[in-house]
């Protein structure tokens, strides 16, 4: 064989001839001759996760698959292999490699001979080890024996892992920290002062488990809170792109009802993929106005949404070209899209048609496949069945990983939408997934399973530096930022500034009486009343309004006070001259917190009832109040009845009645004479057993986003959001510092708080600390609080103190 120096000076054709002659007597050494050439010239762009032109030579299988230009290597035929063609091309736009030195004639000769000899490859060799590929079917790991009395399966797995890493077991969080964490994680609300004090004082060893069960049983609070998680994940909202012109459809009523009844997750997913009219908004996606990328077609949105939400797969890149970051290809995304499509689809690569037809199929044919010849509806049912079958461990792992991330602050697989990533503890992931299936896909059971572990109940990890990559070591749950909705809810509740209207059209009435130690309104005492002229058989005219009043005296500090009210057709309720609420739907009674509006001594309720309709018809008002004084265990309950009075005069804009208003006895309206059976039944059901802490006050999750919520991180939901930013943005810092939305809320909150009969600034300060942080202030904190509030709190000082509390990292974090 001639020396390389001589070969380089010979014409290329002669060089290739010599290179070919050498193969008559010796085979090319793949490891020592081919690999160095490919590593030098090719693998920077075509190995590992890099697949420029959708071509990889990381393994022999990948090499023979080819790329977007078709088959690249034909074993035994170098003259038919595009690899050699591209290497030899004189066109600099075609020649490979595109940058750097071209291959020498000797290198070309070696590669040509290697291909002619069959492109032999050392078994198992890869330029870069392939990415982690999780097993598709379920694993059933052996749960280690209990160590140190930790019997919970999660704790047994984690304790063994911690010992293998020579890490200590995280200590338990104190009762107050656990109570606050559990309340915010499961219902998104803080416990009351009374609940905090009772829980901390309770010596029962099972009180934490009982608390978790009681919180999960509060189906309305649970649904209100978890709507945030699911709205983000299913990109559902109440306003925004597509809703006005019909290019998008809400699934709000279906979703809320599914959460309230704790629909099994497999059924939940099947109804989203093979939808009913109520649940089809998810699969339909968004029909964007104007020119968009082909990858934003509704069919491809379906592929992207289904794969990301339910399988933790990113098909966004693969909707345009073969992915550069994982193994999913254009044909995989189009396979899912074709299942949904009601017309033939052509594969389009980077908005350029390929002339190839998409074939309906899903990413894991080893578990079964879609019959592409079936009608669209049947294909969707097949996909829903394949996806949710117990043998598809990817399905259950993806969901439990999301729940673990939600409760513990970091996924077992992280990020949660990258389920091809190796988990930091595969056994833990599979223990959770298997439990989920054994519990028949019960989401609440899985949440309870996690929350009753010592792991969840441990002190939060103290983070230092960036330890989210391969260096991550579990050291306990991580602190989580309040969501925008949680922050706003807490501010509303603490300050008594909750608005009266929700934008989500959902049913929030209790389906059954709720048994809990909190205050109840009691048995139904309210009677429907109207002005006494109804006794003369004169039905009220359409639009006619009446004022109804009742006075009562309070002789001590109020522990709680609730009012249930409705009117046919609409009402406004005022307490001591301040508007508490308005209602427009007589069939939906409202349960409201009355306490912030009450005062020592004489109090007065006025309800303005307004008749509707197009002509004279029967009208009525219902109202029932229940209150308890702090030092009196007796419930004081009264309702609308013959002791109330009515007037034709109405309050002015400031809530004041005319001085000379004439007040007359009311008349009871027979329920049988009006279409109110439904309202009466719902009112009785509401009164029969609703905890005061639930209250049915509107929640931020059920109203349209506003400027404050958007700056706090609430997304517009035009894209799927599986986790929100954890870092404070500049906009958020500005709005929290001096934004008008928060300032206005604090000012109104201060006015509301000062309606309560605080004995001193210290009492207010202690109450706020217990209400927000579930602990009393330290001596140093109390000193600062009193300096802020002054000897007698004013509206200005109270607003400043509220702001100081809300800005505490301890308030804004679930620890």
């Amino acid at each position: 064989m001639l020396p390389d120096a001589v070969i380089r000076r010979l014409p290329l054709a002669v060089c290739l001839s010599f290179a070919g002659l050498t193969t008559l007597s010796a085979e090319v050494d793949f490891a020592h001759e081919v690999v160095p050439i490919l590593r030098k010239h090719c693998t920077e762009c075509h190995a590992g996760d890099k697949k420029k032109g959708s071509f990889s030579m990381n393994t022999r299988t990948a090499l023979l698959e080819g790329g977007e230009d078709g088959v690249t290597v034909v074993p035994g035929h170098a003259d038919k292999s595009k690899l050699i063609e591209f290497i030899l091309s004189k066109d600099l736009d075609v020649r490979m490699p595109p940058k750097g030195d071209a291959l020498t004639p000797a290198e070309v000769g070696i590669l040509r001979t290697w291909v002619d000899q069959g492109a032999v490859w050392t078994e198992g060799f890869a330029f870069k080890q392939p990415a982690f590929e999780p097993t598709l079917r379920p694993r059933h790991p052996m749960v280690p024996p209990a160590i140190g009395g930790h019997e919970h399966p999660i704790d047994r797995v984690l304790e063994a892992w911690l010992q293998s890493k020579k890490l200590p077991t995280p200590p338990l969080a104190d009762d107050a920290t656990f109570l606050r964490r559990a309340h915010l994680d499961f219902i998104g609300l803080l416990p009351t002062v009374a609940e905090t004090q009772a829980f901390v004082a309770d010596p029962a060893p099972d009180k934490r488990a009982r608390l978790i069960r009681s919180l999960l049983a509060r189906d309305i609070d649970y649904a209100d809170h978890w709507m945030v998680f699911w709205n983000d994940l299913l990109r559902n909202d109440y306003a925004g792109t597509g809703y006005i012109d019909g290019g998008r459809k809400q699934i709000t009523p279906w979703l809320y009802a599914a959460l309230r009844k704790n629909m099994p997750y497999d059924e939940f997913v099947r109804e989203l993929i093979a939808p009913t009219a109520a649940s089809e908004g998810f699969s339909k996606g968004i029909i964007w106005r104007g020119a968009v990328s082909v990858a934003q077609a509704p069919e491809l949105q379906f592929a992207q949404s289904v794969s990301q939400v339910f399988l933790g797969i990113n098909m966004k890149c693969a909707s345009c070209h073969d992915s550069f970051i994982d193994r999913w290809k254009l044909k995989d995304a189009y396979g899912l899209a074709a299942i949904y499509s009601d017309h033939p689809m052509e594969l389009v690569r980077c908005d350029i048609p390929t002339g190839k037809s998409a074939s309906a199929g899903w990413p894991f044919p080893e578990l079964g496949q879609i019959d592409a010849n079936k009608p669209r509806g049947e294909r969707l049912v097949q996909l829903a069945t394949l996806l949710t079958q117990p043998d598809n461990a990817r399905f259950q792992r993806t969901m439990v990983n999301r729940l673990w991330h939600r409760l513990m602050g970091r996924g077992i697989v992280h990020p949660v939408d990258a389920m091809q990533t190796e988990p930091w503890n595969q056994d833990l992931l599979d223990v959770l997934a298997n439990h989920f299936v054994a519990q028949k896909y019960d989401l609440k059971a899985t949440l309870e399973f996690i929350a009753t572990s010592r792991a969840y109940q441990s002190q939060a990890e103290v983070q230092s530096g960036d330890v989210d990559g391969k260096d991550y070591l579990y050291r306990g749950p991580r602190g989580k930022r309040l969501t925008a909705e949680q922050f706003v809810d807490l501010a509303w509740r603490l300050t008594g500034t909750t608005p009266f209207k929700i934008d989500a059209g959902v049913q929030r009435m209790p389906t059954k009486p709720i048994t809990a130690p909190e205050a109840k309104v009691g048995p139904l005492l309210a009677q429907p009343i109207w002005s006494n002229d109804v006794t003369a058989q004169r039905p009220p005219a359409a639009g006619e309004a009446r004022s109804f009043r009742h006075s009562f005296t309070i002789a001590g500090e109020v522990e709680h006070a609730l009012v249930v009210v409705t009117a046919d057709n609409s009402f406004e309720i005022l307490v001591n001259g301040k508007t508490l609420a308005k209602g427009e739907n007589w069939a939906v009674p409202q349960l409201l917190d009355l306490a912030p509006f009450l005062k020592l001594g004489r109090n007065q309720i006025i309800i303005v009832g307004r008749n509707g309709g197009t002509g004279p018809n029967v009208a009525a008002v219902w109202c029932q109040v229940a209150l308890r004084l702090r030092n009196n265990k007796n419930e004081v309950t009264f309702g609308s009845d013959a002791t109330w009075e009515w007037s034709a005069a109405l309050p002015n804009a400031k809530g004041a009645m005319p001085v000379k208003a004439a007040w007359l006895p009311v008349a009871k309206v027979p329920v049988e004479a009006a279409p109110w059976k439904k309202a009466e039944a719902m009112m009785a059901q509401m009164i029969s057993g609703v905890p005061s802490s639930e209250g049915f006050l509107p929640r931020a999750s059920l109203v349209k986003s506003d400027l404050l919520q958007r700056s706090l991180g609430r997304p517009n939901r035009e894209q799927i959001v599986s986790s929100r930013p954890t870092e404070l943005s500049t906009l958020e810092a500005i709005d929290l510092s001096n934004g008008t939305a928060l300032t206005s809320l604090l000012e109104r909150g201060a006015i509301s708080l000062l309606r309560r009969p605080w004995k001193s600034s210290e009492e207010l300060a202690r109450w706020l600390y217990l209400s927000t942080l579930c602990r009393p202030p330290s001596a140093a904190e109390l000193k600062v609080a009193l300096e802020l509030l002054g000897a007698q709190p004013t509206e200005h000082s109270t607003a400043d103190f509220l702001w100081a509390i809300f800005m505490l990292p301890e308030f804004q974090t679930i620890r």
Side-chain angles (χ1 to χ4, degrees), residues 57 156 158 178 200 211 221 340 366 390 452 555 596 704 806:
M57 55 176 61
R156 289 162 64 178
L158 284 176
F178 170 77
V200 171
L211 174 71
D221 278 341
Y340 180 79
E366 55 267 52
T452 51
K704 295 176 183 177
F806 290 171

Side-chain angles (χ1 to χ4, degrees), residues 577-704:
K578 303 290 185 180
T579 297
L580 172 60
K582 295 180 181 180
E584 302 294 333
N585 186 351
W586 62 270
V588 182
Q590 293 194 28
L591 176 62
L592 305 165
D593 184 5
L594 197 62
F597 291 76
L598 300 180
K599 61 184 180 179
L600 282 171
R602 184 179 174 82
N603 290 261
Q604 185 178 81
I605 292 176
I606 292 179
I607 300 173
V608 178
R610 189 176 301 276
N611 192 25
T614 57
N617 60 89
V618 179
V621 163
W622 287 271
C623 175
Q624 182 155 318
V625 173
L627 61 89
R628 177 183 294 169
L629 302 184
R630 191 167 299 280
N631 297 321
N632 189 336
K633 297 304 180 182
N634 293 323
E635 198 85 30
V636 178
T637 306
F638 59 86
S640 50
D641 58 21
T643 65
W644 287 50
E645 297 174 307
W646 74 274
S647 175
L650 303 177
N652 61 23
K654 295 183 178 180
M657 290 291 295
V659 176
K660 296 183 179 180
W663 292 97
L664 301 169
V666 299
K668 177 183 175 184
V669 181
V671 174
E672 294 76 11
W676 300 323
K677 277 293 185 183
K678 177 182 178 182
E680 184 184 53
M682 294 175 75
M683 194 166 182
Q685 187 178 43
M686 179 181 286
I687 287 170
S688 65
V690 178
S692 61
S693 57
E694 196 166 55
F696 298 107
L697 292 173
R699 296 283 294 272
S701 63
L702 304 179
V703 303
K704 295 176 183 177

Side-chain angles (χ1 to χ4, degrees), residues 126 139 168 199 221 238 385 499 607-608 643 650 705 721 740 750 797 815:
R139 290 176 65 251
F199 185 81
D221 278 341
Y238 319 124
T385 302
I607 300 173
V608 178
T643 65
L650 303 177
S705 185
V721 177
T740 56
S797 68
R815 295 171 43 248

